[in-house]
Amino acid sequence: MADVKVEVLPGPFLQLGEAPHWDVESQSLYYVCILGSTLHRYDWKENQTYTAKLEGSTYASFIIPVSGRQGEFVVGSGTRLLLVAWDGLAPTATIVKVLTDLGEEEADHRFNDGKVDGQGRLYAGTMLAEDSRNHFEMDDAYTVDAEGNLGGETVLIKLKDDEAATEFIADGMTSDAEGDLYVAVFAGSKIIKINPESAKIVQEIALPVAQVTSVAFGGPNLDVLFATTAAKEISIPQEPPAGAVLKITGLGARGLPMNELQLP
């Protein structure tokens, strides 16, 4: 395997960067700052990042292009799923409409990361808005039926012993073209690669930041792994490059094109 190289992308250092999404058509990486409610687009050709404030929102948890609607995206924002318009350049983005809302009974929760499957269906997780430090000690696997319903939950891998004293959290993940998983480890300063057939960690990618939030393959050949990170404090202040987006090359792996949301 070639030497792994980690670089910092140009752009702001974010309190809670999240949800990288590589857009093949525009050769851009979209991502968000959850706490700042901002949208970001890294332009590969220009090597430049554009930032927009999402008007009328408190959170921005993920951003995914809508198929066939240039300049429109689905964005998780608190308890709402929003249809948002942004040209990828302007300093503000606007809410077109609210697609759905979790409702008052879930007012203390917010959307977190989200991904779209090959059928254009969105799967998004939620969490307590005031508590982002709940432990995730294992990765779950599910079966998916023809209608997109999840079932047959199983534990793929347990990342720590029940009695182990550690603060790390398994956060966002992606897969490569071979089906291996790449999992961001929040408060762990690394990404772990998991082979799902053996259910074992086969590689650890050390990073110069503590709080790694999510990952996605991109670049012209889909062989670059991008990682979003956070600068918010855990127990001690976080210094740059905490909060940056990291560009990881030399992994000897390629990803698959990411999917866009299908709306009626």
Side-chain angles (χ1 to χ4, degrees):
M1 180 180 294
D3 292 336
V4 175
K5 183 179 181 180
V6 179
E7 301 172 82
V8 175
L9 290 190
F13 295 100
L14 306 177
Q15 282 294 99
L16 186 52
E18 182 62 275
H21 179 100
W22 178 258
D23 180 56
V24 172
E25 183 176 355
S26 66
Q27 292 289 285
S28 297
L29 183 76
Y30 288 94
Y31 58 100
V32 300
C33 178
I34 295 180
L35 300 181
S37 192
T38 51
L39 312 179
H40 305 267
R41 182 180 72 88
Y42 169 71
D43 189 297
W44 177 273
K45 294 179 182 177
E46 296 179 6
N47 192 34
Q48 180 176 347
T49 296
Y50 297 88
T51 297
K53 175 68 177 178
L54 179 56
E55 296 181 326
S57 71
T58 303
Y59 299 106
S61 298
F62 57 82
I63 176 171
I64 299 172
V66 177
S67 180
R69 300 190 187 187
Q70 187 173 4
E72 290 192 344
F73 305 85
V74 60
V75 175
S77 177
T79 61
R80 303 178 298 170
L81 282 179
L82 306 176
L83 182 63
V84 170
W86 184 39
D87 64 1
L89 300 170
T92 58
T94 58
I95 298 172
V96 177
K97 66 177 179 179
V98 178
L99 297 173
T100 191
D101 196 314
L102 298 177
E104 286 298 320
E105 64 275 13
E106 300 292 337
D108 59 344
H109 287 68
R110 66 165 173 81
F111 280 104
N112 196 40
D113 207 349
K115 292 281 197 311
V116 173
D117 72 4
Q119 305 301 313
R121 300 174 296 210
L122 173 67
Y123 293 85
T126 63
M127 61 180 288
L128 289 173
E130 72 278 8
D131 179 13
S132 63
R133 295 185 65 190
N134 290 327
H135 289 263
F136 293 86
E137 299 176 2
M138 59 193 69
D139 279 352
D140 293 337
Y142 298 87
T143 58
V144 182
D145 66 20
E147 286 72 42
N149 300 308
L150 301 180
E153 177 184 348
T154 59
V155 175
L156 173 62
I157 184 173
K158 198 163 187 176
L159 297 180
K160 78 178 190 72
D161 296 331
D162 292 336
E163 303 303 320
T166 180
E167 291 294 319
F168 75 76
I169 300 169
D171 209 333
M173 69 183 74
T174 192
S175 60
D176 63 21
E178 303 300 320
D180 291 321
L181 299 177
Y182 296 74
V183 182
V185 183
F186 192 90
S189 302
K190 63 186 176 182
I191 297 165
I192 55 175
K193 178 180 178 180
I194 300 172
N195 181 295
E197 294 185 1
S198 65
K200 295 191 179 297
I201 297 172
V202 295
Q203 185 181 7
E204 294 193 2
I205 305 162
L207 298 178
V209 298
Q211 301 169 133
V212 192
T213 58
S214 195
V215 287
F217 278 99
N221 299 313
L222 297 176
D223 59 354
V224 176
L225 187 63
F226 295 103
T228 50
T229 71
K232 70 172 188 170
E233 295 183 14
I234 313 176
S235 56
I236 59 173
Q238 303 298 303
E239 300 294 335
V245 175
L246 303 178
K247 171 187 174 183
I248 305 162
T249 54
L251 291 171
R254 296 181 62 181
L256 296 170
M258 298 185 76
N259 302 304
E260 298 181 338
L261 179 71
Q262 296 283 347
L263 281 181

